[in-house]
Amino acid sequence: MIKNDLFLRALNNETVERPPVWMMRQAGRYLPEFRALRDKYDFFTRCETPELAAEITVQPIRIVKPDAAILFSDILVVPRAMGIHVELKDNLGPIIPNPIRTMEQVNQVFVPNIHETLGYVMDAVKLTKEMLNDEVPLIGFAGSPWTIFCYAVEGKGSKSFDTAKGFCFSNPVAAHTLLQKITDTTILYLKEKVKAGCNAIQIFDSWGGMLSPVDYQEFSWKYINQIVEALAEDTKVIVFGKGCWFALNDMAKSKASALGVDWTCSPRNARYLTGGKITLQGNFDPSRLLSPIPTIKKMVHEMIDEFGKDNYIVNLGHGILPNIPVDHAKAFVEAVKEYK
């Protein structure tokens, strides 16, 4: 039994004494302990070495003390397992040297044997569970098929992903074929993560907000929903779409246990759009953690008041920024624990 099960109770729509709290990217560059390991090992070495991934995962549990851990990994381990070469360059982010632009290239992408290609992630899950010693739940995650597709086709990060969108509109058969392969791989991958010990799963649709509401349904949501349907019997699934407030109503009708909300959507609108019953997660502006600590605490309490303490998980509206002082991250978590 997990000692602090507040996060799981919130996902179960149970009444809680206070909402649980964790932060996206909480195992990250704002922590000096993380930076020390980053300076010693390159990014994919950290992802692919279970001992390093587990240590990085538990760092914030020791230091910041949130109510859940999220496994240190990356959404791009999935395309790498599918035969898409991914490099990570300092100050540039992910680079795909041979972006996918033709049906011939799509046909070369394969749905892999998860144990052979991503077994190191399962080893990291098992090791992390040992290190957590049932103190808090462990969240596993994956990128949405659309978000992975964006990198695979664009070849790099982008402010608009016009090339990826253009591929969908000019070559929809190839686009849907690739999206389905990513979806099938992601389902297999996440099912193994749950078997290995993850207590819940989050799907990150980081670039869903690049699509119009109509195109979102065709190129993103229908694939996310396949994943939710496939996993709902095995575990709790959180769906977080950045900039996707327009899809919250449809998302709320799915088997997802919780929906993430970014800081551009007010708690009131999020509750209205989702029918007021599903658990919501979010939505503190990550930049607001640069505010003075008393302001952070006041704003966190106001945010909880607006969402309501039940059916709610306190989080940021996106990942924590590298320049956030550790004391401010701690204050964010402490503010939730002090909430009455």
Side-chain angles (χ1 to χ4, degrees):
M1 291 294 291
I2 290 169
K3 294 167 193 138
N4 175 354
D5 63 351
L6 206 54
F7 170 75
L8 298 176
R9 285 162 55 204
L11 285 177
N12 277 327
N13 300 107
E14 293 177 28
T15 301
V16 291
E17 54 276 19
R18 66 161 176 88
V21 56
W22 68 280
M23 294 179 291
M24 290 183 276
R25 287 204 199 122
Q26 68 188 12
R29 290 171 289 173
Y30 72 104
L31 289 173
E33 293 83 353
F34 176 94
R35 294 197 296 271
L37 288 174
R38 178 198 62 183
D39 294 344
K40 276 191 190 176
Y41 306 98
D42 72 65
F43 184 77
F44 282 117
T45 298
R46 280 175 275 145
C47 288
E48 293 170 5
T49 308
E51 293 78 9
L52 291 174
E55 170 59 26
I56 291 167
T57 302
V58 300
Q59 280 177 349
I61 305 305
R62 296 185 197 123
I63 300 160
V64 185
K65 299 182 169 55
D67 295 308
I70 182 163
L71 186 75
F72 174 75
S73 187
D74 194 81
I75 64 171
L76 296 176
V77 300
V78 167
R80 274 165 62 97
M82 299 174 71
I84 299 169
H85 182 61
V86 182
E87 297 173 4
L88 212 72
K89 305 221 169 158
D90 287 343
N91 304 319
L92 282 176
I95 302 287
I96 286 85
N98 298 304
I100 294 171
R101 305 281 169 83
T102 66
M103 189 69 187
E104 187 181 14
Q105 286 174 295
V106 170
N107 288 336
Q108 289 170 355
V109 175
F110 54 87
V111 176
N113 178 310
I114 300 299
H115 290 289
E116 288 176 9
T117 55
L118 292 164
Y120 63 87
V121 178
M122 312 318 146
D123 292 340
V125 171
K126 290 169 188 168
L127 196 53
T128 303
K129 289 291 285 184
E130 282 178 33
M131 291 174 71
L132 287 172
N133 194 29
D134 288 333
E135 289 296 331
V136 294
L138 177 63
I139 305 164
F141 71 90
S144 72
W146 164 251
T147 292
I148 302 297
F149 175 97
C150 279
Y151 287 112
V153 176
E154 199 81 24
K156 59 184 188 299
S158 167
K159 288 184 177 175
S160 57
F161 288 99
D162 291 332
T163 304
K165 288 167 69 175
F167 186 59
C168 288
F169 307 148
S170 62
N171 203 342
V173 174
H176 282 300
T177 302
L178 180 55
L179 283 162
Q180 191 60 54
K181 284 184 177 183
I182 298 167
T183 302
D184 293 344
T185 303
T186 303
I187 288 169
L188 294 170
Y189 172 55
L190 291 177
K191 278 183 170 284
E192 289 305 318
K193 269 187 162 173
V194 173
K195 281 185 203 166
C198 286
N199 303 103
I201 293 295
Q202 177 154 315
I203 301 166
F204 286 86
D205 196 9
S206 303
W207 305 123
M210 300 289 165
L211 293 165
S212 73
V214 171
D215 291 331
Y216 187 76
Q217 291 295 325
E218 183 176 355
F219 295 102
S220 187
W221 175 246
K222 81 175 186 184
Y223 294 103
I224 292 173
N225 198 40
Q226 281 185 49
I227 300 168
V228 173
E229 291 273 335
L231 282 157
E233 286 184 18
D234 302 329
T235 193
K236 300 293 181 182
V237 183
I238 305 166
V239 177
F240 171 64
K242 186 170 180 286
C244 301
W245 61 268
F246 54 80
L248 283 171
N249 186 258
D250 286 319
M251 290 176 175
K253 294 170 186 167
S254 74
K255 290 181 181 175
S257 295
L259 301 177
V261 185
D262 69 31
W263 66 93
T264 63
C265 183
S266 70
R268 183 179 176 182
N269 281 347
R271 286 285 180 214
Y272 172 75
L273 290 166
T274 56
K277 288 177 185 160
I278 193 167
T279 295
L280 296 178
Q281 176 179 278
N283 68 338
F284 204 76
D285 183 341
S287 299
R288 266 290 178 184
L289 290 180
L290 291 166
S291 299
I293 283 175
T295 305
I296 293 170
K297 292 200 169 187
K298 178 173 177 284
M299 290 183 72
V300 167
H301 290 165
E302 288 170 351
M303 181 173 72
I304 299 170
D305 286 340
E306 288 183 58
F307 274 104
K309 78 169 174 67
D310 293 319
N311 302 339
Y312 178 47
I313 297 163
V314 179
N315 207 317
L316 306 174
H318 202 228
I320 188 169
L321 301 169
N323 61 332
I324 299 301
V326 176
D327 283 352
H328 289 224
K330 286 180 178 174
F332 178 76
V333 170
E334 285 162 7
V336 183
K337 293 184 176 181
E338 292 162 3
Y339 183 80
K340 291 182 176 63

